[in-house]
Amino acid sequence: AAQHHHGDEEQDLFPALIEVVAGADPARLRELTSSVCGDHRLLDQRWAVLRQDLASIARGSAAPLDEADLAGYIQLYERHIAREEAELLPMAARMLGDIELDRIGLSMRRRRGTAATA
């Protein structure tokens, strides 16, 4: 699920924002998207470790679940989502029109195989 969300942003939303950034602050957008992508990589790495432990537990095996790893993942994800909601999504709403947002939404649904193709 997180990988879908990260792909949605990196393959659809970010390129669309960068395309219309001429009237905005390009340096700010580059820093924001770069930072968000960095979060994505770190979240993916941390989740891969946690997922193995959780899968073992789900199979009924005794597996140590590192409390610090879990708390760190949750803290990073909460900070990441808060930043997206406070900065990235309002920027997208300001800079992109309804038609472009609809196109991005369709691309995201197609990636999941949930959109009918014309």
Side-chain angles (χ1 to χ4, degrees), residues 5 9 36 40 80-90:
H5 170 73
E9 291 175 345
V36 168
H40 290 169
H80 176 78
I81 294 299
R83 188 170 190 201
E84 287 185 349
E85 290 177 351
E87 298 180 62
L88 186 63
L89 297 181

Side-chain angles (χ1 to χ4, degrees), residues 12-13 16 96 99-109:
D12 293 303
L13 182 59
L96 301 174
I99 291 172
E100 185 65 9
L101 290 172
D102 286 347
R103 184 198 65 74
I104 290 168
L106 179 59
S107 180
M108 292 174 179
R109 290 190 301 277

Side-chain angles (χ1 to χ4, degrees), residues 54 91 109 111:
L54 292 170
M91 184 183 291
R109 290 190 301 277
R111 185 173 301 110

Side-chain angles (χ1 to χ4, degrees), residues 7 9-10 13 26 28 37 56 61 66 68 74 80 86 90-91 98 102 106 113:
E9 291 175 345
E10 294 179 21
L13 182 59
R28 176 72 189 118
C37 288
S56 294
S61 301
D66 189 298
I74 292 168
H80 176 78
M91 184 183 291
D98 290 342
D102 286 347
L106 179 59

Side-chain angles (χ1 to χ4, degrees), residues 27-45:
R28 176 72 189 118
L29 179 58
R30 279 194 304 272
E31 185 278 327
L32 179 59
T33 56
S34 175
S35 177
V36 168
C37 288
D39 282 354
H40 290 169
R41 302 292 88 73
L42 189 53
L43 285 163
D44 289 348
Q45 290 167 8

